[in-house]
Amino acid sequence: PITIDVGTNNHALLDDSLYIGMRNERIRGKEYDDLIDEFMDAVTEKFSNVLVQFEDFANLHASRLLEKYRGKYCMFNDDMQGTGGVVLGGLLSAMRLLNKSIDDQKILFYGAGSAAFGIAEIIVQKMTQSGMHLDDARRKIYFFDSHGLVVKGRSYLNAQKILYAHKIEDESDMETLIETLKPTILIGVSGLGGAFSKSIVQKMGEINKHPIIFALSNPTSKSECTAEEAYNWTDGKVVFASGSPFDVVKWKDQTF
């Protein structure tokens, strides 16, 4: 792995005499882009058959660098494409289990960073493969961020969120939103541990015979809910996936 150090805005680190990183605030703009350009040119010149995996790039850079480089280099963004592919595979497995089509689902994302956007775009690609129009596919997906439901006309919308900003009433309470929106799939990519409370999970169980809940933030301490909670709070009806490899399920005295 190669770590590209562009500085830090954490002044506690900058003031620490033992800090071994670059002692400057994060570079931005053209200087940042020139550095990444130089790296991509150099690594592909040195290793002619290299596949460059972008990992944990900030939302500010992730999608635009993917679009910038994908036609020139052998590269991919793991948070957007890798995670997106795995989640789509999980959803398609859930569709087979429930004998349903992903084209008929209403999907709510809790969290609206680069990972959420990457997952959403791959789901949209799958929907359009069956003949659905791009705009119709995006209208089946909703984002809920730190400011509430992503809607048209709201502030704090970047280029990605604008694609999924619907012309509906704003809502800042998650449980109320689930009650009115009635999503069939709830996907957590927020990094906020416990964000899917008992009442939220139960509400998903009330409006769906088999709610699909993917709590993907990891490690378990940051997971929106655990597998055990999801199964217990829905009396075993949930179709669940976790982003943590150590999430153990215990339901009705059985451990899985």
Side-chain angles (χ1 to χ4, degrees):
I2 298 173
T3 299
I4 300 177
D5 189 349
V6 297
T8 178
N9 294 337
N10 186 326
H11 287 274
L13 294 177
L14 291 174
D15 295 337
D16 189 339
S17 61
L18 298 179
Y19 182 59
I20 63 174
M22 296 290 292
R23 291 184 175 274
N24 57 264
E25 293 192 351
R26 282 179 175 268
I27 62 172
R28 299 291 190 192
K30 185 177 185 302
E31 187 179 4
Y32 176 91
D33 287 355
D34 288 347
L35 174 62
I36 305 299
D37 284 347
E38 183 178 355
F39 168 77
M40 293 298 289
D41 287 342
V43 75
T44 51
E45 180 180 347
K46 179 67 175 178
F47 307 104
S48 59
N49 295 318
V50 69
L51 164 62
V52 182
Q53 171 184 324
F54 280 56
E55 180 72 38
D56 286 341
F57 273 64
N59 194 28
L60 174 66
H61 302 300
S63 61
R64 70 179 188 85
L65 291 180
L66 175 60
E67 292 305 313
K68 180 179 181 180
Y69 294 136
R70 67 192 309 170
K72 183 178 180 181
Y73 299 104
C74 182
M75 59 80 64
F76 80 106
N77 183 292
D78 183 61
D79 301 291
M80 298 185 67
Q81 296 169 291
T83 301
V86 170
V87 174
L88 176 60
L91 292 176
L92 293 178
S93 294
M95 295 301 99
R96 287 195 294 269
L97 176 66
L98 302 178
N99 194 27
K100 294 184 177 181
S101 170
I102 196 167
D103 295 349
D104 300 326
Q105 306 308 304
K106 186 181 289 185
I107 304 169
L108 174 60
F109 281 87
Y110 186 79
S114 59
F117 178 74
I119 296 168
E121 284 293 278
I122 286 183
I123 293 172
V124 165
Q125 288 179 34
K126 176 61 179 174
M127 290 178 173
T128 56
Q129 285 177 359
S130 61
M132 186 181 299
H133 191 275
L134 177 62
D135 292 339
D136 292 334
R138 285 185 172 143
R139 276 194 286 268
K140 290 182 171 291
I141 297 176
Y142 300 78
F143 283 93
F144 189 97
D145 64 11
S146 59
H147 300 285
L149 181 64
V150 173
V151 297
K152 285 188 180 298
R154 198 196 75 176
S155 302
Y156 316 108
L157 294 181
N158 58 27
Q160 296 172 346
K161 293 179 184 179
I162 288 174
L163 296 175
Y164 293 91
H166 302 292
K167 195 173 182 179
I168 56 177
E169 188 175 347
D170 192 11
E171 179 56 66
S172 59
D173 181 75
M174 188 67 170
E175 188 176 347
T176 302
L177 176 61
I178 291 174
E179 174 68 34
T180 56
L181 189 62
K182 293 182 169 48
T184 57
I185 299 172
L186 179 61
I187 299 178
V189 279
S190 66
L192 298 176
F196 293 169
S197 64
K198 183 177 182 179
S199 59
I200 286 175
V201 173
Q202 286 180 332
K203 183 63 66 176
M204 284 293 294
E206 290 174 9
I207 63 177
N208 296 286
K209 182 178 179 181
H210 292 288
I212 299 171
I213 298 178
F214 283 14
L216 300 179
S217 297
N218 61 81
T220 304
S221 61
K222 294 186 177 182
S223 180
E224 288 77 15
C225 69
T226 66
E228 181 175 2
E229 289 169 340
Y231 280 100
N232 284 332
W233 293 341
T234 62
D235 198 30
K237 297 191 304 178
V238 69
V239 178
F240 182 84
S242 172
S244 172
F246 306 109
D247 197 355
V248 178
V249 182
K250 187 173 183 181
W251 181 63
K252 290 190 174 181
D253 299 321
Q254 298 182 59
T255 302
F256 304 91

